[in-house]
Each structure stands twice: as structure tokens, then as C-alpha cells.
């Protein structure tokens, strides 16, 4: 059986990895020669702490307020677009306490499964991607944010996840190499971090050696279908690629490809930026998220990565310098001795998070075609949950009981 995976990000490669391990013949197709997409320059935080879906109560009010600020962390570009309206409507409908509480245990289990799989990779001799189990802190400065973080910690504890609230002195004690000025922090000791680019390079190199095939610089633009079956893929340069089974893992571009198959997939690309600066000291010990600014700082070896913003505005590659400036300006409010400088435009990385309106991924077979599997929509946590997605897809293909219940991730929901 010839399996083709569209998309060579963390989801595509993790899926290829587990399928290859089970003896399937797999080819990864990517439109880029060397991908530098969402799975490369992200913050690299492995986040059991992120069990609350993006669409949660309170998000709408915050989003509306932020829309009028050019440097804000969240922005929806207003445009006349039916898919965007449908997405926003579903997003609005999903922001209820009932839906959020249903999603939470599933997201936590998904993240924990994936974290254990990262450890399995790390224990293999041929992998070393700086995986560190130092936890995550979320800093806050306002009493409003303190209330949010306290609620988050309570929910985490109810779900059995280790979490606590720290004051400034306690946060400082755990991060002795940089000055901290906050009201407090929530602390999630069981989060981890890694260097995403290193992991992506290693899984590709090891995967190719193990027999995974790769077609790069090959953009898929359409499909040939017959009686509920996809027969082949068609690339922009006219190549027809016959296939027995297709896995759609094209990140932020997945909705566009699904549309070519007559499938309405509600998914928007949520653009985010990062810069990575040389920083030997004067940096936190572990990843930190700045609550009010929604900015993440990750210590990576001798570097520091600073990332943020979520722009729902189509798949436009243009860099918005004001938003990057907003990210950098937020840092000294929490770390008074850290003043990261703006880098030239070409050194600002950006990626499109594949965002679903209910904050849950699409993983599973699609009823419209008997040889199509979707694996996309991981939004803010795709780096964390890539390995679990790969394992789950391999189990679906083997007809095995999946390692966790994925009913909530059904692509046809
Ligand atoms: C600033 C930022 C910080 C983040 N931080 C974290 C974090 O700390 N932890 C975490 O878990 N997640 C994080 N994320 C989210 C995470 O990066 C994404 O969820 C994840 O990378 C998505 O992976 P993917 O494989 O679905 O998509 P991608 O990595 O975007 O891969 C999709 C691939 O499909 C290819 N493709 C698209 N269309 C076609 C086509 N027509 N034909 C062929 N190929 C095609 C693209 O070239 C691309 O290589 C962050 C994201 C951003 C933007």
C-alpha cells in the first residue's frame, strides 16, 4: 500500500515515523524545498499545562478589545470571506464552559501521551534535541491575570496535573540568573521544552535513513477522485501521483486542500512570530509565558527565543513589524534587565498555526473518502502533540484500538 502524507511539518513527519516503524511504505510531500514552517521556529514548549482550548469562555471579549491595538497579541483581520465567517461563528459557539470542560481532559491526555513519546525518542541514541523537564511558568502583573492563573491552577489540580501559584520571590528563586518583576506566577513543573528545529532535522534525517520517501518542492493543487476514493494527487507542475491512501497534514493550508476534495474544513492559519537571540546568561531557567502580553520566552542552549501573537488574517507571509515590536517591548515589564533588540526583517521567523474554531485537532478518517485521513488543526500545541498524533494515525491505519479515545477529534464533527 502506497501512503502519501501532504505536509512535512511535525505532524507529517511524526506520522511518517510511526507508519514506517509499522512497516508501511510512506512518502512525505511538501511544497517547500526545505521547510521552515510552523514546526521549526516555534517556542518548543511541551505543554500538558495547555489543556484549556483556544476557544474558551472570556476569549471573545478579550479578542474584541485587542483587535483595535496594532501591537496586541491577538488580531483578526476583518475581511469578506465566507470561510472566516463560518470559522468565527463556530469559534463563538465553542466558547462555552460546557464545551471547554469536555475538551480539557482530552487535551491533557493527548499532551501527556505525546510527552511520553518525546521521552522515548530522547532515549534513543540517535536523538538529542535538548529535551529538558524544567517546567513552565506563566508570569502575571495584574490582579485580573492573577485571578485567571489561580483558576487555571485549580483546574489543573482537579485534573491531577501538578501546578502551583508562586510569588515573585519564589519565581525568582527558581530563575536565579535573571531579575524578575511580577505579581506572581503559575508554575507547571511537568511541562518540558526542546529545540524544535533540531528535533525536526533529526526526525527527517533518521526517517529518511529508515526508508521514508520524500518529495520536496512539490505543491499539491488537486486530486483525481472516483466513487468515494482518491486515486491520485496532482501537483502544481502537472505531476500525477497515484496513491492508495492520503494523509492530509498540511498545517495552516489544510482547509484549502480539503476544499479541492469538496470538504468544508473549518481551519484558519494563526500567524505568529519569533526571534532567536544569542543569550548566554541573564535569561530564565525554563520557558516563561507572559500572561498579559501572551509572549513566550524559551531558553535554548546559548540562545533565547521570544515568540508571540496570533493573527487570523489569511496565509499572508508579510511580516508585521509593529507586532514583533509589541512582543519585544513587553519583555522588560517582567524582566527589567532584559531588553531584546529588534532584528532585521529577514531574521524574524513566522509560522501559521492551524487553528480550528473549537480548539481541538482533526484526527481520523473522513467519511467522504475511504482512503483519506486528516491530521491537522493543532493550533498552539502542535509541537507538543505531534508524536501522539503520529502514533494515533498509525493505530487507526492498523485497525487497532487507539491509545486514547479520539471521538472529540473526529474531522467530521
Ligand atoms: C510563534 C509560535 C509559537 C509556537 N509555540 C509552540 C509551542 O511552544 N509548543 C507547541 O506545542 N506548539 C507551538 N506552536 C504551534 C506549532 O508550531 C504548530 O501547531 C505545529 O508546528 C503545526 O504543525 P503542522 O505539521 O500541522 O504544520 P506545519 O509545520 O506548518 O507543516 C505543514 C507543511 O505542509 C506544507 N504544505 C502546505 N500546503 C502544501 C501543499 N499544497 N502541498 C505540499 N505541501 C504543503 C507546508 O510547506 C508545511 O511544511 C507555535 C506556533 C507559533 C507560530
Amino acid at each position: 500500500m502506497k501512503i502519501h502524507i501532504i505536509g512535512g511539518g511535525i505532524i507529517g513527519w511524526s506520522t511518517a515515523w510511526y507508519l514506517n516503524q509499522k512497516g508501511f511504505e510512506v512518502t512525505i510531500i511538501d511544497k517547500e524545498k526545505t521547510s521552515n514552517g510552523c514546526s521549526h521556529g516555534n517556542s518548543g514548549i511541551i505543554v500538558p499545562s495547555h489543556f484549556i482550548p483556544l476557544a474558551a469562555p472570556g476569549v471573545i471579549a478579550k479578542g474584541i478589545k485587542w483587535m483595535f491595538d496594532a501591537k496586541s497579541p491577538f488580531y483578526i483581520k476583518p475581511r469578506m470571506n465566507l470561510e472566516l465567517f463560518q470559522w468565527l461563528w463556530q469559534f463563538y459557539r465553542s466558547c462555552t464552559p460546557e464545551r471547554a470542560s469536555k475538551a480539557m481532559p482530552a487535551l491533557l491526555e493527548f499532551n501527556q501521551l505525546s510527552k511520553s513519546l518525546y521521552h522515548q525518542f530522547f532515549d534513543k541514541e540517535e536523538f538529542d534535541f535538548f529535551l529538558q523537564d524544567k517546567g513552565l511558568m506563566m508570569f502575571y502583573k495584574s490582579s485580573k491575570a492573577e485571578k485567571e492563573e489561580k483558576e487555571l491552577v485549580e483546574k489543573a489540580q482537579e485534573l491531577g496535573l501538578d501546578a502551583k501559584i508562586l510569588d515573585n520571590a519564589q519565581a525568582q528563586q527558581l530563575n536565579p540568573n535573571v531579575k524578575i518583576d511580577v505579581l506572581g506566577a503559575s508554575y507547571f513543573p511537568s511541562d518540558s521544552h526542546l529545540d524544535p528545529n533540531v528535533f525536526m532535522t533529526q526526525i527527517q534525517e533518521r526517517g529518511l535513513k529508515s526508508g521514508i520517501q520524500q518529495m520536496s518542492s512539490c505543491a499539491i493543487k488537486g486530486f483525481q477522485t472516483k466513487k468515494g476514493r482518491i486515486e491520485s494527487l496532482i501537483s502544481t507542475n502537472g505531476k500525477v501521483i497515484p496513491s492508495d491512501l492520503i494523509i492530509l497534514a498540511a498545517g495552516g493550508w489544510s482547509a484549502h486542500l480539503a476544499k479541492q476534495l469538496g470538504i468544508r474544513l473549518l481551519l484558519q492559519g494563526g500567524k505568529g512570530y519569533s526571534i532567536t537571540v544569542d543569550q548566554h546568561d541573564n535569561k530564565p531557567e525554563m520557558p516563561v509565558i507572559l500572561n498579559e502580553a501572551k509572549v513566550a520566552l524559551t531558553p535554548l542552549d546559548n540562545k533565547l527565543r521570544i515568540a508571540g501573537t496570533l493573527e487570523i488574517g489569511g496565509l499572508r507571509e508579510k511580516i508585521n513589524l509593529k507586532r514583533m515590536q509589541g512582543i519585544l517591548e513587553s519583555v522588560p515589564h517582567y524582566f527589567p534587565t532584559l531588553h531584546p533588540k529588534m532584528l532585521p526583517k529577514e531574521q524574524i521567523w513566522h509560522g501559521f498555526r492551524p487553528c480550528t474554531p473549537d480548539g481541538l485537532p482533526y484526527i481520523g478518517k473522513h467519511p467522504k473518502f475511504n482512503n483519506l485521513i486528516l491530521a491537522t488543526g493543532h493550533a498552539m500545541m502542535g509541537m507538543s502533540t505531534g508524536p501522539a498524533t503520529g502514533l494515533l494515525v498509525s493505530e487507526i491505519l492498523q485497525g487497532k484500538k487507539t491509545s486514547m479515545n479520539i471521538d472529540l477529534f473526529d474531522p467530521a464533527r
Side-chain angles (χ1 to χ4, degrees):
M1 174 159 72
K2 275 194 169 48
I3 301 177
H4 290 88
I5 300 178
I6 310 175
I10 180 68
I11 305 301
W13 273 99
S14 300
T15 304
W17 179 270
Y18 286 101
L19 288 174
N20 173 264
Q21 299 270 299
K22 302 289 176 226
F24 288 101
E25 196 184 320
V26 199
T27 304
I28 290 218
I29 303 177
D30 202 287
K31 64 183 175 59
E32 304 297 330
K33 186 161 183 257
T34 323
S35 177
N36 186 29
C38 205
S39 305
H40 292 259
N42 63 64
S43 300
I45 316 174
I46 307 305
V47 287
S49 59
H50 282 42
F51 54 85
I52 296 197
L54 179 61
V59 172
I60 297 281
K62 243 185 211 172
I64 291 169
K65 194 179 106 205
W66 276 334
M67 276 183 71
F68 301 100
D69 178 356
K71 290 181 178 173
S72 72
F74 180 49
Y75 176 68
I76 299 176
K77 189 179 161 56
R79 65 206 143 101
M80 295 303 286
N81 176 294
L82 181 63
E83 280 95 10
L84 177 64
F85 283 129
Q86 290 171 333
W87 188 94
L88 286 170
W89 174 239
Q90 275 307 325
F91 183 78
Y92 170 75
R93 288 186 30 157
S94 301
C95 288
T96 65
E98 296 73 35
R99 289 198 185 211
S101 355
K102 224 169 143 193
M104 285 180 209
L107 286 178
L108 180 58
E109 189 181 358
F110 190 34
N111 266 290
Q112 285 174 326
L113 169 65
S114 211
K115 187 183 147 181
S116 70
L117 297 173
Y118 267 121
H119 277 276
Q120 286 178 16
F121 275 110
F122 198 66
D123 290 343
K124 291 184 210 293
E125 227 169 69
E126 68 271 31
F127 278 92
D128 183 5
F129 43 91
F130 307 104
L131 180 66
Q132 298 195 44
D133 296 321
K134 293 191 169 177
L136 165 79
M137 279 194 193
M138 303 207 204
F139 284 1
Y140 50 83
K141 293 198 65 99
S142 63
S143 44
K144 197 166 166 236
E146 179 176 51
K147 187 170 169 275
E148 278 171 22
E149 292 301 324
K150 282 188 171 162
E151 282 169 11
L152 178 67
V153 162
E154 263 171 38
K155 281 204 184 96
Q157 289 168 344
E158 273 167 30
L159 291 168
L161 184 71
D162 190 8
K164 51 188 90 120
I165 292 288
L166 308 178
D167 61 20
N168 190 83
Q170 290 165 320
Q172 183 69 75
Q173 208 176 11
L174 289 168
N175 293 283
N177 297 320
V178 62
K179 179 149 179 42
I180 292 167
D181 178 14
V182 293
L183 178 60
S186 59
Y187 175 40
F188 296 86
S190 51
D191 279 17
S192 305
H193 69 284
L194 51 79
D195 188 323
N197 204 29
V198 175
F199 181 74
M200 287 305 295
T201 308
Q202 293 184 351
I203 194 170
Q204 285 172 42
E205 281 174 8
R206 299 351 174 221
L208 291 171
K209 267 194 202 150
S210 319
I212 297 172
Q213 305 284 308
Q214 185 179 26
M215 292 169 80
S216 31
S217 308
C218 180
I220 299 304
K221 67 159 190 188
F223 304 87
Q224 288 174 339
T225 63
K226 199 173 173 186
K227 292 188 183 150
R229 205 174 160 73
I230 303 171
E231 306 234 295
S232 38
L233 300 96
I234 304 162
S235 75
T236 43
N237 52 13
K239 205 169 175 171
V240 177
I241 306 158
S243 185
D244 298 316
L245 190 123
I246 288 107
I247 298 169
L248 181 54
W253 295 266
S254 301
H256 175 70
L257 281 162
K259 199 173 177 184
Q260 311 308 312
L261 287 164
I263 296 172
R264 189 189 72 151
L265 193 71
L266 293 182
L267 185 144
Q268 292 283 322
K271 188 158 54 166
Y273 303 103
S274 78
I275 61 164
T276 309
V277 292
D278 288 331
Q279 190 94 20
H280 296 265
D281 41 32
N282 192 25
K283 63 180 176 185
E285 284 298 293
M286 66 191 76
V288 172
I289 294 178
L290 314 177
N291 177 306
E292 292 88 349
K294 304 286 174 248
V295 164
L297 289 89
T298 314
L300 295 171
D301 203 13
N302 281 327
K303 295 184 187 299
L304 180 65
R305 178 161 294 165
I306 305 164
T309 82
L310 178 70
E311 274 176 52
I312 305 276
L315 297 166
R316 296 178 332 137
E317 307 282 346
K318 194 172 166 246
I319 303 281
N320 183 332
L321 285 175
K322 273 200 183 135
R323 287 196 191 277
M324 192 64 231
Q325 195 62 47
I327 294 175
L328 298 180
E329 282 172 9
S330 69
V331 176
H333 294 294
Y334 302 78
F335 295 104
T337 55
L338 251 183
H339 296 273
K341 295 262 169 324
M342 179 63 116
L343 294 180
K345 223 178 194 176
E346 5 9 299
Q347 289 178 39
I348 299 175
W349 174 89
H350 71 282
F352 296 101
R353 303 173 186 89
C355 299
T356 61
D358 60 5
L360 296 169
Y362 298 122
I363 303 175
K365 291 184 177 169
H366 196 280
K368 189 156 186 202
F369 296 99
N370 61 16
N371 61 343
L372 173 67
I373 291 185
L374 271 80
T376 188
H378 297 69
M380 335 279 282
M381 57 180 86
M383 196 66 213
S384 302
T385 52
T389 305
L391 178 71
L392 291 164
V393 172
S394 75
E395 291 168 343
I396 294 170
L397 261 173
Q398 290 171 87
K400 274 173 68 176
K401 187 172 184 297
T402 48
S403 296
M404 63 173 281
N405 183 316
I406 52 168
D407 290 353
L408 287 177
F409 304 165
D410 185 349
R413 64 182 176 268

